[in-house]
Amino acid sequence: MKKSVTEILGIEKPLVQGPMSWVTNAEFVAAVSNAGGLGVLGPNAGQTELTADPIETAERMRREIRKTKTLTNKPFGVNLAPNPDQSKDPWTRPILNVIKEEKVPAIVWMGVADGTVLPEMFQELKDAGVKIIYRAITPTIENTQKAEAAGADVIVATGFDEGGLMPEKAIGTFVIVPMIADTVKNVPVLAAGGITDTRTAKAAFALGADGIFVGTALLATVENPTHQNVKEAILRSTAEDLALFKAPPTFVRSLPGKLTDKLVELYQSGASDAEIGKTLGGMSGFNVGMMQGDFDNGWGCFGLGVAQIHEIKTVKEVIESLLA
Ligand SMILES: Cc1cc2nc3c(=O)[nH]c(=O)nc-3n(C[C@H](O)[C@H](O)[C@H](O)COP(=O)(O)O)c2cc1C
């Protein structure tokens, strides 16, 4: 029989917080874990400035992991986004070593490109006792089967409704969740994309998910390091306000602002990926939007579920209301 996600991850509630670049830190992640879910440190957790040095990046993550351990004795996780071509990926190895050395209980594996399952790395994590929550940016039947065969402990089915780098195929949460739930044989499936209130969380279970995986719902919380202007803009926004544009090779939805408007214009006029990439300014542009609250010079990521967020609450209140 299939084990439950709570049993596998050693948590009380079937909820995993989606890692989010920049806008996670030890306080926020510990708040999620203390509320009974699994908090997950995202890239640049606890930071305000970028470093181009992979070792420094990993050591910063070690400091945030250690800080998280002082704030919770519950399990938590770290994000990994391995490049399919490891010879071109100086980032993953140092962070992976830190995860093992610090005995982090779980990772969220972001499967880029075609879903990127690296069976040897899966095995290395399993040998170290780290649970693997596998989330392809673009979930497919093929990458789901490969991930389960390689030993993923939990699989996430993400719909196009989500915030973050969105799936390359525009399949909504309502269709991707049952499709992936029917594909997976022996491990729990979490639904992601648009889950921001009790109704959408209940729908996820009705669609065949064993738990939920949420990002946007936890942005407008007291503990989240997103800029206050951004939290307040979320409260004022509905799904109609978000603007869709390309963040090659995938897509993003941001709040309106000068840079977002420019990115939408470039996307709609068929600009090259190189030109769009230059205007995006990589993860620095994202930092300017989410951490500095400046959408004239930066951009951000939001799921369509902003429509259901009306109040800044504590992480615990959000988690309780999602699973009410
Ligand atoms: C602001 C933001 C940043 C994100 N950054 C990452 C990331 O760095 N790595 C990752 O695996 N997923 C990232 N995601 C995706 C989330 O982990 C999660 O899959 C998503 O938020 C779920 O959909 P929802 O936003 O509708 O809840 C991000 C999402 C948001 C909203």
Side-chain angles (χ1 to χ4, degrees), residues 9 65-66 120 155 257 261 275:
L9 299 175
I65 290 167
R66 290 189 174 169
E120 282 167 20
I155 288 178
D261 297 350
E275 198 181 340

Side-chain angles (χ1 to χ4, degrees), residues 17-23 42-43 79-81 108-110 135 137 156 158-159 161-165 192-196 213-219 226 283 286 290 300-305:
Q17 166 245 315
M20 297 183 276
S21 196
W22 293 109
V23 291
N79 198 192
L80 269 190
V108 171
W109 180 292
M110 180 164 87
R135 189 180 82 85
I137 290 188
V156 184
T158 307
D161 317 50
E162 76 145 347
L165 296 175
I195 301 169
T196 49
F213 188 91
V214 294
T216 299
L218 292 163
L219 285 174
T226 301
M283 291 327 276
F286 181 85
M290 299 299 282
C301 295
F302 304 89
L304 293 176

Side-chain angles (χ1 to χ4, degrees), residues 164-166 245-252 263 267 273 276-277 280 299 301:
L165 296 175
M166 293 150 54
F245 55 85
K246 207 164 176 205
T250 158
F251 299 92
V252 157
L263 287 160
Y267 166 51
D273 283 1
I276 294 176
L280 271 170
W299 53 280
C301 295

Side-chain angles (χ1 to χ4, degrees), residues 26 94 98 118 138 157-158 179 245 253 259 290:
V98 167
L118 302 171
T138 304
T158 307
M179 189 177 112
F245 55 85
R253 278 191 200 94
L259 186 60
M290 299 299 282

Side-chain angles (χ1 to χ4, degrees), residues 181-238:
D182 287 348
T183 301
V184 173
K185 299 276 176 280
N186 294 310
V187 301
V189 172
L190 305 181
I195 301 169
T196 49
D197 67 359
T198 316
R199 293 169 298 179
T200 42
K202 274 191 182 160
F205 290 97
L207 291 170
D210 304 290
I212 56 175
F213 188 91
V214 294
T216 299
L218 292 163
L219 285 174
T221 54
V222 175
E223 297 90 337
N224 188 280
T226 301
H227 196 280
Q228 185 68 15
N229 291 349
V230 181
K231 294 183 189 177
E232 286 167 16
I234 291 174
L235 308 187
R236 289 193 300 272
S237 303
T238 75

Side-chain angles (χ1 to χ4, degrees), residues 8-177:
I8 291 168
L9 299 175
I11 54 180
E12 289 154 39
K13 299 193 165 109
L15 178 146
V16 173
Q17 166 245 315
M20 297 183 276
S21 196
W22 293 109
V23 291
T24 68
N25 60 20
E27 290 81 2
F28 169 71
V29 165
V32 175
S33 292
N34 285 334
L38 186 86
V40 184
L41 293 165
N44 306 305
Q47 306 304 313
T48 52
E49 280 171 30
L50 205 58
T51 162
D53 179 352
I55 302 295
E56 172 60 16
T57 301
E59 288 309 315
R60 287 178 177 193
M61 186 59 87
R62 188 195 302 278
R63 290 199 286 275
E64 215 56 28
I65 290 167
R66 290 189 174 169
K67 194 167 174 194
T68 308
K69 287 181 190 164
T70 67
L71 299 172
T72 184
N73 52 16
K74 306 270 171 66
F76 65 95
V78 170
N79 198 192
L80 269 190
N83 187 314
D85 181 354
Q86 276 297 289
S87 69
K88 293 196 181 120
D89 180 358
W91 306 98
T92 298
R93 173 50 55 190
I95 292 198
L96 181 54
N97 290 345
V98 167
I99 287 168
K100 291 195 318 186
E101 285 156 16
E102 296 297 324
K103 302 196 178 354
V104 173
I107 57 118
V108 171
W109 180 292
M110 180 164 87
V112 295
D114 63 356
T116 327
V117 175
L118 302 171
E120 282 167 20
M121 205 178 273
F122 268 48
Q123 196 54 51
E124 182 183 343
L125 286 158
K126 291 182 85 64
D127 291 346
V130 182
K131 299 291 181 205
I132 302 169
I133 302 165
Y134 171 80
R135 189 180 82 85
I137 290 188
T138 304
T140 63
I141 291 171
E142 190 184 342
N143 61 37
T144 300
Q145 285 171 337
K146 279 190 184 158
E148 186 173 10
D153 296 284
V154 176
I155 288 178
V156 184
T158 307
F160 200 66
D161 317 50
E162 76 145 347
L165 296 175
M166 293 150 54
E168 281 176 61
K169 288 181 201 237
I171 304 177
T173 305
F174 245 76
V175 170
I176 202 72
V177 173

